[in-house]
DNA sequence: ACTGTCAACCGGGAGA
DNA sequence: TCTCCCGGTTGACAGT
């Protein structure tokens, strides 16, 4: 499976990221505590991988956050510090990636179920998916950028080649053909010349309109071979 | 010391 | 108004 990039340029770049189905239905989830607490950094109580139960931490080892980190993290007198950074365990990352493959967005129920399964807060699962989507998009953008760079390179080369060709053709070009007026026997200016659509020869444009023209034998075309042609 | 990664946050826009 | 998502940013941490 591959997800085509939704670029405005219409490039058909495919990513190895399957499952672009978005099932972000109505989400009535009310756990939005992180924003309201973010300024004073007093999130330590529910922060990171606080073990929900004492028994089975082996499945999801708690990254770099120890249980008593929160004592000195934000609550201490040191001022506004972020709590220690959470590192998701390999198993947590694996399960998150797995469900990301299935769906790039989660419903509230899916999010909560996943959070329970991973012993994370739903907000953490939500944030992980947001960041994961952003990373995917960044990768796609980088791939598009590389593709456009290659396009630019080949088009530049093509442009150079065509310009050289134009220069060569200009160098080969001779003076405009000399056509004598059938009446005065004087050379006609180039603006008074047209090309016969049948034989593509240059002739004088001073004849009567096409509808009133005489028979082809008497037509102004082919009065004589032009002295020069393109 | 420097740099890259990434969880978490912030502000704003969109939809119901 | 509420909730969600997105783009941008911050800051902790790991690797060099």
């Amino acid at each position: 499976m591959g997800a085509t990039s939704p670029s405005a340029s219409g490039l058909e770049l495919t990513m190895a990221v399957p499952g672009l189905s978005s099932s972000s239905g109505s989400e009535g989830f009310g756990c939005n505590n992180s924003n309201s607490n973010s300024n004073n950094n007093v999130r330590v109580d529910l922060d990171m991988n606080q073990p929900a139960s004492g028994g089975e931490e082996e499945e999801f080892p708690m990254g770099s956050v120890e249980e008593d980190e929160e004592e000195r993290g934000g609550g201490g007198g040191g001022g506004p510090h972020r709590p220690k950074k959470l590192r998701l365990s390999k198993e947590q990352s694996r399960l998150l990636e797995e469900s990301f493959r299935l769906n790039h967005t989660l419903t509230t129920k899916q999010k909560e179920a996943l959070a329970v399964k991973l012993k994370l807060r739903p907000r953490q699962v939500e944030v992980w998916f947001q960041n994961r989507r952003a990373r995917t998009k960044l990768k796609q953008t980088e791939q598009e950028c590389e593709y456009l760079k290659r396009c630019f390179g080949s088009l530049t080369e093509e442009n150079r080649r065509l310009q050289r060709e134009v220069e060569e053709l200009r160098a080969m070009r001779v003076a405009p053909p000399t056509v004598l007026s059938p009446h005065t026997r004087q050379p006609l200016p180039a603006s008074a010349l047209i090309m016969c659509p049948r034989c593509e020869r240059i002739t004088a444009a001073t004849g009567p309109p096409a509808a009133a023209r005489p028979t082809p034998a008497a037509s102004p075309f082919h009065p004589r071979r032009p002295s020069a042609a393109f």
Side-chain angles (χ1 to χ4, degrees):
Chain A
M1 274 162 76
T4 60
S5 75
S7 67
S9 61
L11 299 173
E12 287 289 324
L13 294 176
T14 58
M15 292 282 295
V17 180
L20 227 151
S21 66
S22 88
S23 59
S24 63
S26 60
E27 309 217 352
F29 187 61
C31 174
N32 207 3
N33 45 24
S34 59
N35 278 352
S36 54
N37 291 335
S38 61
N39 285 337
N40 42 11
N41 291 314
V42 204
R43 283 195 307 93
V44 245
D45 51 337
L46 26 91
D47 203 28
M48 306 313 169
N49 294 304
Q50 187 177 10
S53 66
E56 27 186 294
E57 275 92 47
E58 287 306 310
E59 193 175 354
F60 301 124
M62 292 307 145
S64 62
V65 180
E66 277 82 12
E67 296 161 44
D68 44 353
E69 277 294 326
E70 57 225 28
E71 288 296 330
R72 42 142 236 155
H81 288 300
R82 259 196 202 191
K84 280 211 158 193
K85 183 181 174 69
L86 161 73
R87 307 299 296 203
L88 293 172
S89 70
K90 283 184 180 170
E91 181 65 8
Q92 284 169 324
S93 295
R94 190 188 65 79
L95 282 173
L96 285 164
E97 288 286 349
E98 195 174 292
S99 72
F100 185 78
R101 268 198 300 277
L102 300 176
N103 264 325
H104 285 203
T105 53
L106 293 177
T107 64
T108 305
K109 283 187 191 301
Q110 288 172 325
K111 187 199 310 174
E112 286 174 339
L114 199 53
V116 169
K117 195 173 176 182
L118 298 172
K119 296 195 173 82
L120 294 172
R121 284 176 289 124
R123 169 69 184 162
Q124 289 178 296
V125 175
E126 182 180 307
V127 165
W128 187 91
F129 267 75
Q130 284 175 7
N131 287 323
R132 186 64 178 80
R133 283 192 293 268
R135 270 177 257 142
T136 298
K137 190 170 185 178
L138 180 64
K139 268 185 190 171
Q140 284 179 345
T141 303
E142 285 172 353
Q143 286 190 348
E144 283 184 19
C145 185
E146 288 304 311
Y147 174 75
L148 290 174
K149 273 187 198 168
R150 286 197 297 273
C151 283
F152 176 76
S154 62
L155 285 174
T156 302
E157 179 55 35
E158 172 81 354
N159 189 33
R160 267 198 287 267
R161 190 184 65 75
L162 289 172
Q163 292 213 2
R164 276 199 303 269
E165 199 174 317
V166 165
E167 289 304 317
E168 287 170 10
L169 290 172
R170 282 212 178 105
M172 287 167 53
R173 208 175 92 178
V174 296
T178 301
V179 176
L180 299 180
S181 165
H183 310 296
T184 66
R185 294 292 169 195
Q186 296 298 309
L188 290 167
S191 59
L193 303 179
I194 60 171
M195 180 181 284
C196 170
R198 280 191 299 152
C199 66
E200 297 185 344
R201 281 186 182 154
I202 304 297
T203 183
T206 55
R213 268 181 200 150
T215 61
S219 96
F221 292 127
H222 325 304
R224 67 180 63 195
R225 182 181 292 261
S227 60
F230 288 111

